[in-house]
Each structure stands twice: as structure tokens, then as C-alpha cells.
Amino acid sequence: DKQGRKQAVKHCSTAACMMRYLHDCIIPQHQFATVDLSIPSLLFWESYMLAQAQCAAYQVAQDNDSPNQAVLSYLAMGAVPLFNEALKQSKYPLLVSQLPAPTQEWSIICKSWSIFMQAKAAHHQALAAQQAQSWGLELAWLKDSLQQFQACQAFVQSSGDLNSMERVIDGKIQTVSTRLAQATRDNETIYGEQIPTQLPTIAPKQLVKSDMPTLPESMTKPKVPLFS
């Protein structure tokens, strides 16, 4: 549902903005005896909501009739640093000590999605190379994406908590493996292209941000005390 994904981009971005507003404007003026409103918690949720918004933006682009595979690669990679930042915050000692079970789950989700989106970015590079008839480059990207999907599969299986994601990864591994086998045969019998041993870094492109718009003081300054 493309419209639903657009709404997901909007709402997840708004949630990230709210976390940023609490971090910048509310928390410095008040002391809260709850881990939910601690700085690490707000930073985690800001990064995680941005990562979800970026994934939704990537899916919107993917739903186009003739998506640009290189652009999809950059968008997929754009979610990786956001999930990595959320992963880092989920390991903050205060959160781990106060919320041991949730933070373990958050860490697993963030790490698995980081690896998964990086693997998808590499697969889109392979598809772009295939469209350009750069057969050796396609093979290099296929091998790279397969390794990353397999690494993601191994991590998810070791965690034991993401069965639905494991099925998606299995499907991706099957798709990439099938194309890799065919492309290898074609290159050996027809094209004979050299397979690069080094691949360029995929530059992340982020379409989402948590910057708060400039609001009038009447909208940011409470008329009555909110916390006592």
C-alpha cells in the first residue's frame, strides 16, 4: 500500500521530531525519575523512528513502476547508519540496567535490520549492473549481497526471536543464489568478463530527518506547569 507507506514516513518522522523536541527543549528544564524520559531513551527512539521512516521511504520508491536500482541502493543504505545509531543507544548502561529484556530485543532488531538493509543495497547494485549489462560487476555485487544476506540469516537464527524476518531473508537468499548461478554460467560461457575484487562504497541517501520546524513561543511554552 503505497499511500500507507507515505503515511508511515510522515508519522515516524513526526515521532522522531517529538523525541528531538523533548531532548532539546523539555528535558533540560526538568528532572524526571523515569528511564523513559532519559536522554539515552529519547536518542534511541529518535534514531529508531527515523530508521523506520527511511525504510518506508525506500519502500515508496520501490513501488514505482520503473524504479531506479541505483537510487534504491542509496535509499536502502540510508537506513543503515540510523539503525546503527539506535543500536548504539540501546546498549547504553542506564537503559540496559533498567530495561534488560526490552533493550536486548531492541538490539537484535536494530542489528538485524542494519545488516538486512545493507544486503539489500548491495543487491540493488547488482540489479543496476545487470541492467547496464556489466556482467562482471553484477557477479561481484551478487556475491557481496549473498554474503550479507547469509550473515543476516545467521544472526537472526542465533537470536531466535525473528521468525518472520528469517522467512524474508530465506527468500532473498534463494533469489540471489538463483541469479548468481545463472550469471556465473553466462559469464563463463558467453561474456567472459573480469569480476572486480573490490567494490565501491555505497553512499547512504537519507530522505528523512528529525529537525523541528521553528515554532512560535505560544506553541512551545506551556501556559500552566506540566510537571511538578
Side-chain angles (χ1 to χ4, degrees):
D1 180 7
K2 189 172 184 178
Q3 193 59 37
R5 291 189 176 109
K6 288 182 178 179
Q7 289 296 311
V9 174
K10 175 183 176 181
H11 294 314
C12 288
S13 298
T14 300
C17 286
M18 293 301 101
M19 296 301 107
R20 172 54 53 181
Y21 178 71
L22 286 171
H23 176 277
D24 291 349
C25 302
I26 300 299
I27 301 304
Q29 302 175 29
H30 302 277
Q31 296 293 324
F32 299 99
T34 171
V35 69
D36 294 333
L37 289 173
S38 65
I39 295 297
S41 177
L42 295 176
L43 291 176
F44 166 79
W45 286 112
E46 179 187 356
S47 297
Y48 185 73
M49 287 294 100
L50 279 179
Q52 291 295 330
Q54 180 70 22
C55 286
Y58 156 78
Q59 291 172 332
V60 169
Q62 196 174 31
D63 286 342
N64 291 333
D65 293 335
S66 299
N68 184 305
Q69 296 298 329
V71 171
L72 290 178
S73 176
Y74 305 144
L75 294 179
M77 185 60 74
V80 174
L82 297 172
F83 278 119
N84 288 344
E85 180 61 26
L87 173 63
K88 184 179 76 172
Q89 295 300 331
S90 73
K91 295 180 178 297
Y92 196 84
L94 173 65
L95 296 183
V96 173
S97 64
Q98 297 294 315
L99 304 168
T103 51
Q104 182 179 14
E105 181 180 357
W106 300 345
S107 296
I108 291 171
I109 292 172
C110 290
K111 184 173 181 178
S112 56
W113 272 96
S114 175
I115 303 172
F116 183 65
M117 294 306 288
Q118 191 164 340
K120 294 193 77 173
H123 186 215
H124 284 299
Q125 288 290 334
L127 293 172
Q130 181 184 2
Q131 290 177 347
Q133 298 185 352
S134 298
W135 311 117
L137 184 59
E138 181 199 4
L139 279 168
W141 280 117
L142 284 171
K143 291 178 180 179
D144 184 70
S145 65
L146 180 60
Q147 290 176 352
Q148 294 188 59
F149 279 127
Q150 289 173 335
C152 188
Q153 181 189 54
F155 177 74
V156 168
Q157 288 176 342
S158 68
S159 72
D161 291 329
L162 298 171
N163 293 330
S164 60
M165 188 175 189
E166 187 176 348
R167 290 191 293 271
V168 174
I169 297 169
D170 288 343
K172 289 293 183 182
I173 290 175
Q174 182 62 42
T175 297
V176 175
S177 297
T178 300
R179 176 56 194 164
L180 177 59
Q182 181 63 53
T184 300
R185 288 193 297 268
D186 290 346
N187 197 55
E188 290 174 349
T189 58
I190 303 172
Y191 306 117
E193 289 193 9
Q194 289 291 111
I195 302 174
T197 56
Q198 290 186 328
L199 291 168
T201 301
I202 302 173
K205 182 176 179 59
Q206 293 179 5
L207 297 182
V208 297
K209 57 184 180 179
S210 57
D211 295 342
M212 285 291 296
T214 302
L215 301 175
E217 185 178 359
S218 60
M219 295 180 64
T220 60
K221 185 176 181 180
K223 295 180 175 59
V224 295
L226 297 179
F227 306 100
S228 58

